[in-house]
Amino acid sequence: MRLNEEQKKILDGKKGRILQEAMRGLVKYGDGMDAEEFIPISSAHTAFSAMNIVALAFPPRGRKLTGEDIGRFSDEIAVTRAKVKTTVNPGIIDRKKWRQMGADEATYNSVIRTVDIARKCGIMTTYSCIPQLTDNIPLFGEHYSWCESSSHPYINSFFGARTNRDCYELSLYSALLGITPNFGMHLNENRKGTDLVDIQCELENTSDWGALGFFLGEELGIGIPVFNNLKRPAVEEAIQLCASMNSSGAIPMFHIPRMTPEAPTVEAAFAGNEPRNTYIFDESAKRKVYQHLSYKPEGKVDMVFLGCPHETLYDLEEIARMLEGKHVARDTKLWVETTSSIRDAAEELGYAQIIEDSGAELFADGCLLIYYINTPAKWPKMDRMATDSPKNAFASRRSFHSNIFFGNRERCIEIAIKGGV
Ligand code: F3S
């Protein structure tokens, strides 16, 4: 990595330990990825959920952090301001409804302390996994450092913005320094299509779009698909497509001709590349994804989870319509997840009331997986779950060993009302 004079000073520690460590991390990352230089970024999206987790991005490493380590680190980072607009991924509790989640007061207090430190750093605790639609809207051709696996293909493919799938440490370092190593999706040559995907079936709901994404991740592994014969997705469909492809694989971008800004045609999307392979997504391929993601689906369902990635206001309106006048079964939970700003709007519009009157819970700021992995809480039973999200189905099977029903939203709501499959 070539560093300018200012960057060398930071690396030498002349601007303090936090920035020095951030620069060390970015130089290592850049060297590892054969980047030659840094580029300025316009925004970052990172994770900032609790100081004991944020502190892991900085030394001391290789030993359990003590309360004193975390306190010292918190004081140091609180006087370091992010150089660019920075938003954050879902956190570990719902700050308004943490008691309903079963979280304890100590966890709540530690999150509130973390929010205060983030504010001092100029980091916006938006706790959203759809920041591109809420608080961190990208622009064509701008460079970013984002950590959310479902958002990065969205902003590369629909906005023509440029980000790699950075982890939370690297996106935090990039946020603090306002730069990121120039490699991968930041470079024109890496944004060309690699494989052709021909769509030969109807995509009827968001779960079908998720199934397409999951298929791509499994088949391509790593690559940049170019679609043929794909209709234009709605925002909610695009969200599921993007989230699923990075559950089963690693797809940083795709081209939908006449929709992706860099792809007016299929030929332009390949930009001279010969397609490595052609894949066909038809009814049989779609059915296989549904079968693959469901595991022992039949029987009593303990938890129905909607909102991975976070539900939009439009999703909440639809869920409210489906639940109006109905009631969730007594021994089944229906959890719906979104961001705080969308929940506020849903409260004003009356959707939240309808959802909660049905016995469902409308949570904000987090996600089931992040809650579960990081929060000491009394957890509801999750022996069998139902979800409309391939990402959630895939991850819940692995994280909670739950039996899974994967199906569309309407079917999931029916299951919540009935209490089983
Ligand atoms: Fe968002 Fe959590 Fe799903 S961060 S994409 S709700 S796994």
Side-chain angles (χ1 to χ4, degrees):
M1 292 285 292
R2 276 194 309 274
L3 273 61
N4 64 27
E5 287 311 309
E6 176 67 11
Q7 291 160 359
K8 282 183 196 156
K9 271 191 207 160
I10 296 173
L11 190 61
D12 288 344
K14 304 225 163 62
K15 300 280 168 87
R17 185 184 86 95
I18 293 290
L19 291 186
Q20 181 183 33
E21 290 301 336
M23 185 60 87
R24 274 191 188 142
L26 285 191
V27 169
K28 262 195 202 164
Y29 184 34
D31 282 339
M33 303 310 288
D34 286 337
E36 292 178 357
E37 59 185 359
F38 288 116
I39 39 165
I41 54 167
S42 307
S43 83
H45 181 72
T46 187
F48 212 91
S49 48
M51 293 319 293
N52 58 330
I53 302 173
V54 180
L56 295 173
F58 293 82
R61 296 194 175 90
R63 68 167 168 82
K64 200 169 180 314
L65 296 180
T66 62
E68 210 174 298
D69 291 328
I70 296 163
R72 200 174 324 114
F73 167 73
S74 301
D75 293 343
E76 275 182 294
I77 198 163
V79 292
T80 316
R81 265 191 90 79
K83 292 281 181 307
V84 290
K85 177 202 281 184
T86 304
T87 50
V88 305
N89 230 26
I92 62 171
I93 54 164
D94 180 323
R95 280 171 293 167
K96 277 193 189 154
K97 295 173 69 178
W98 54 277
R99 287 183 207 277
Q100 284 100 309
M101 283 177 52
D104 61 19
E105 197 148 355
T107 305
Y108 170 76
N109 289 334
S110 99
V111 168
I112 295 305
R113 264 198 309 281
T114 303
V115 170
D116 187 49
I117 291 166
R119 185 180 49 76
K120 290 178 178 148
C121 299
I123 293 175
M124 294 179 271
T125 44
T126 48
Y127 295 128
S128 167
C129 50
I130 48 167
Q132 72 273 20
L133 304 175
T134 51
D135 314 287
N136 200 345
I137 296 167
L139 290 175
F140 177 80
E142 295 288 298
H143 296 270
Y144 300 92
S145 174
W146 280 29
C147 75
E148 168 51 38
S149 67
S150 65
S151 293
H152 79 289
Y154 196 114
I155 77 167
N156 281 316
S157 312
F158 291 107
F159 289 91
R162 298 180 174 219
T163 183
N164 289 311
R165 178 185 179 168
D166 293 333
C167 62
Y168 93 85
E169 291 94 333
L170 293 162
S171 51
L172 180 57
Y173 301 155
S174 297
L176 295 174
L177 293 166
I179 51 175
T180 206
N182 191 16
F183 74 95
M185 301 315 295
H186 295 291
L187 301 172
N188 289 345
E189 63 263 32
N190 297 322
R191 300 172 67 87
K192 298 177 182 178
T194 58
D195 298 84
L196 188 68
V197 181
D198 196 42
I199 307 301
Q200 298 185 3
C201 62
E202 289 300 319
L203 302 174
E204 289 168 5
N205 49 55
T206 53
S207 301
D208 280 0
W209 284 85
L212 169 60
F214 199 85
F215 166 86
L216 291 174
E218 288 237 298
E219 294 294 324
L220 270 76
I222 302 176
I224 302 197
V226 177
F227 290 109
N228 189 37
N229 204 23
L230 181 67
K231 67 177 181 180
R232 294 165 75 88
V235 165
E236 289 71 18
E237 293 165 339
I239 291 171
Q240 280 303 331
L241 173 69
C242 293
S244 309
M245 57 180 60
N246 287 299
S247 308
S248 50
I251 299 192
M253 178 176 181
F254 50 82
H255 295 273
I256 303 178
R258 292 175 295 285
M259 198 167 192
T260 301
E262 290 146 278
T265 61
V266 169
E267 292 68 39
F270 281 109
N273 268 1
E274 272 302 309
R276 295 182 307 193
N277 285 302
T278 297
Y279 297 92
I280 292 178
F281 187 69
D282 56 12
E283 277 303 332
S284 136
K286 188 167 85 175
R287 204 168 36 248
K288 272 193 201 135
V289 174
Y290 276 80
Q291 284 162 354
H292 176 69
L293 286 171
S294 290
Y295 182 84
K296 298 190 184 166
E298 279 160 25
K300 180 184 170 312
V301 169
D302 306 303
M303 164 72 77
V304 179
F305 186 81
L306 306 175
C308 171
H310 282 168
E311 302 292 18
T312 66
L313 191 57
Y314 184 76
D315 287 317
L316 294 184
E317 189 269 345
E318 189 179 87
I319 292 169
R321 249 188 303 121
M322 289 177 176
L323 283 171
E324 191 153 21
K326 304 196 175 110
H327 208 277
V328 173
R330 209 177 46 154
D331 292 331
T332 300
K333 303 260 180 223
L334 170 55
W335 282 19
V336 182
E337 189 71 51
T338 188
T339 68
S340 287
S341 57
I342 292 174
R343 181 170 64 185
D344 288 349
E347 282 170 357
E348 280 186 18
L349 289 162
Y351 309 150
Q353 189 68 53
I354 296 171
I355 291 170
E356 300 206 327
D357 282 350
S358 77
E361 293 281 6
L362 178 57
F363 286 120
D365 288 351
C367 94
L368 193 62
L369 294 160
I370 298 178
Y371 286 157
Y372 194 96
I373 293 164
N374 296 293
T375 311
K378 191 172 176 310
W379 284 99
K381 210 163 158 240
M382 289 195 275
D383 290 348
R384 180 172 289 103
M385 292 178 57
T387 181
D388 63 346
S389 152
K391 180 173 181 177
N392 189 255
F394 185 71
S396 295
R397 175 80 199 125
R398 273 148 194 79
S399 303
F400 315 139
H401 310 291
S402 305
N403 298 328
I404 301 285
F405 172 87
F406 166 62
N408 67 41
R409 174 179 296 158
E410 199 174 1
R411 189 74 184 96
C412 285
I413 288 183
E414 275 169 23
I415 289 167
I417 290 161
K418 196 172 147 211
V421 180

